[in-house]
Amino acid sequence: MSNTPGRPPFLPGLGGLRGLAALAVLVGHGVAWLTPLPQTPDLYEPFARLTRCGLSAFFVLSGFVLAYNHSAAMAAGELPFGRFAIARLARLYPVYLLTLGLAAGLALLKHGPGSFGGPGHLLAFASLTQTWFLVPGWPQIFPLAWAVSVEVFFYLAFPATAWLLARARTPRAALGLILAALALALALDGLGARLWPQLFTAYAARHPEWAGTPGELAALLFQWLFYSSPYLRIFEWLMGAAAARFFLLKPQAPANLDIVAALSLAGLLVVPLPQDSFFLQIVAQNVLYAPFLTALLLALAARPRAFLSARRLDAVSAASLSIYLVQTWTLGVFAGPPETGWPEALLRLAAGLLATLCVGLVVARCIEHPAARRILAKRPQRPGA
């Protein structure tokens, strides 16, 4: 495979994997919001992990696809960052702005103007920077949008990442980047586990208004620092990007690597983790699934499975952003009272999943994709392009 700048061949196996990731997140959220299973933590835990695994898959996939398609052109100076950013935001921002407006409108109707937390809060959500910092007093207008904010942070890191990838000129060097990203993530997780008491004490001292509810503040800080901030999630994205460089240099994978990786991921969903290991609890919030997702990506890029190209899965893949963003409401409308029994809960779950898929597909077809095409059609063309 050529390493010259330009768009490399299409990889048919990756779109289906994105569709599976979207379904994993949707099912995990549906079980959490529409069934009584969270009341039984041991039984619910695999579904919580399924959600985290699906989101990790999105980040690893994003790094792989961006690096595979654009890193060579970016590193060679043939793809200006402005053009790259417009192309990325053209797909994200219109449907995000629509769903953010819906979330803000509903918050206004339900709680009044105080639900916005001030102009700075709205500006952070509008600029997709709301997860780049933590302000514990701010209300969560649109909680699910954290993953989109993290993705935008990755886009800012892409030029430096492309420069670094271009200097990995052998498969061994690219593999070294994958392992280095994993090692850095684990090292930071370990440092966070070791320094957590000091971190929380220092943060609590800066927010004396939370002195009466330290447990809530600790939960907010833990969730942000280890799960929803971009500063630790970027290593999953970097692993995907380095895997793309590895594949461009060596477009092969061992036989049945995808089966081994998939079985390993399935095991991580159900095998109990030691409850007395704070370090493993932290790792489970971010990089735990990334090594196996990276192996799965490499295997499917080299040897795509036919079922991953199914039309329905391709449709879910193409609409994955819209499906993710609308599920707050399409699942929420089917929520029942806490005492809902299992037969009714399963019916609500099935209806919520179906409604989310239908609405997400319609929003993608009628808003997300047309808006992106319109924005990109107005973009100035390079001479000779």
Side-chain angles (χ1 to χ4, degrees):
M1 183 175 293
S2 172
N3 295 326
T4 58
R7 183 71 63 91
F10 173 72
L11 299 177
L14 303 191
L17 186 58
R18 181 183 288 107
L20 291 178
L23 292 175
V25 174
L26 174 59
V27 170
H29 284 157
V31 170
W33 300 346
L34 302 181
T35 76
L37 198 61
Q39 300 171 18
T40 311
D42 289 344
L43 296 179
Y44 169 65
E45 180 61 22
F47 291 95
R49 295 184 191 180
L50 182 67
T51 305
R52 293 194 289 266
C53 182
L55 287 164
S56 185
F58 277 123
F59 297 151
V60 177
L61 261 169
S62 171
F64 189 100
V65 171
L66 290 179
Y68 179 78
N69 286 320
H70 304 297
S71 65
M74 178 73 75
E78 297 183 354
L79 177 62
F81 178 71
R83 182 176 293 274
F84 166 81
I86 290 172
R88 305 280 67 76
L89 294 176
R91 177 170 176 259
L92 285 180
Y93 200 70
V95 69
Y96 170 75
L97 194 61
L98 172 70
T99 50
L100 175 62
L102 175 61
L106 291 175
L108 180 64
L109 289 174
K110 189 173 182 180
H111 303 292
S115 61
F116 293 154
H121 193 205
L122 279 177
L123 180 61
F125 270 89
S127 61
L128 278 166
T129 58
Q130 69 269 28
T131 60
W132 299 11
F133 46 87
L134 175 63
V135 181
W138 278 0
Q140 289 298 308
I141 300 174
F142 193 7
L144 276 189
W146 74 267
V148 186
S149 176
V150 167
E151 181 74 9
V152 171
F153 183 88
F154 297 161
Y155 297 161
L156 290 178
F158 187 64
T161 302
W163 178 88
L164 180 63
L165 294 177
R167 278 141 186 82
R169 296 183 174 88
T170 65
R172 178 175 294 183
L175 179 61
L177 290 179
I178 297 173
L179 297 177
L182 176 60
L184 280 171
L186 292 173
L188 289 173
D189 281 348
L191 188 64
R194 183 176 180 179
L195 298 180
W196 172 252
Q198 295 92 320
L199 289 171
F200 175 67
T201 299
Y203 193 75
R206 295 178 57 189
H207 296 279
E209 68 276 15
W210 288 78
T213 53
E216 293 182 23
L217 184 63
L220 286 172
L221 180 60
F222 181 89
Q223 176 82 3
W224 176 78
L225 187 60
F226 300 118
Y227 184 69
S228 59
S229 80
Y231 309 112
L232 281 176
R233 303 313 298 256
I234 195 170
F235 294 102
E236 296 155 80
W237 182 81
L238 289 172
M239 290 176 68
R245 181 60 177 168
F246 180 89
F247 179 76
L248 286 166
L249 294 166
K250 186 178 180 180
Q252 298 128 11
N256 299 320
L257 178 62
D258 56 342
I259 296 175
V260 173
L263 289 175
S264 299
L265 288 168
L268 287 177
L269 297 182
V270 298
V271 173
L273 296 177
Q275 295 298 311
D276 58 349
S277 175
F278 190 46
F279 169 67
L280 285 180
Q281 292 179 37
I282 291 175
V283 172
Q285 302 300 312
N286 45 70
V287 79
L288 177 64
Y289 309 98
F292 307 100
L293 290 166
T294 301
L296 184 61
L297 268 177
L298 286 170
L300 294 177
R303 295 186 178 87
R305 298 285 180 172
F307 77 92
L308 290 175
S309 299
R311 288 181 58 188
R312 288 185 176 86
L313 197 56
D314 277 342
V316 172
S317 173
S320 58
L321 175 64
S322 292
I323 290 170
Y324 177 74
L325 289 176
V326 304
Q327 59 192 251
T328 296
W329 304 285
T330 52
L331 290 176
V333 74
F334 291 97
E339 63 274 10
T340 300
W342 269 106
E344 181 182 343
L346 290 175
L347 289 175
R348 290 178 179 273
L349 176 61
L353 297 180
L354 181 60
T356 301
L357 289 172
C358 291
V359 172
L361 289 167
V362 170
V363 169
R365 182 173 182 177
C366 298
I367 297 174
E368 178 189 337
H369 299 158
R373 288 194 294 267
R374 182 169 298 182
I375 293 171
L376 294 177
K378 294 180 179 179
R379 183 178 60 178
Q381 295 295 313
R382 289 179 296 172

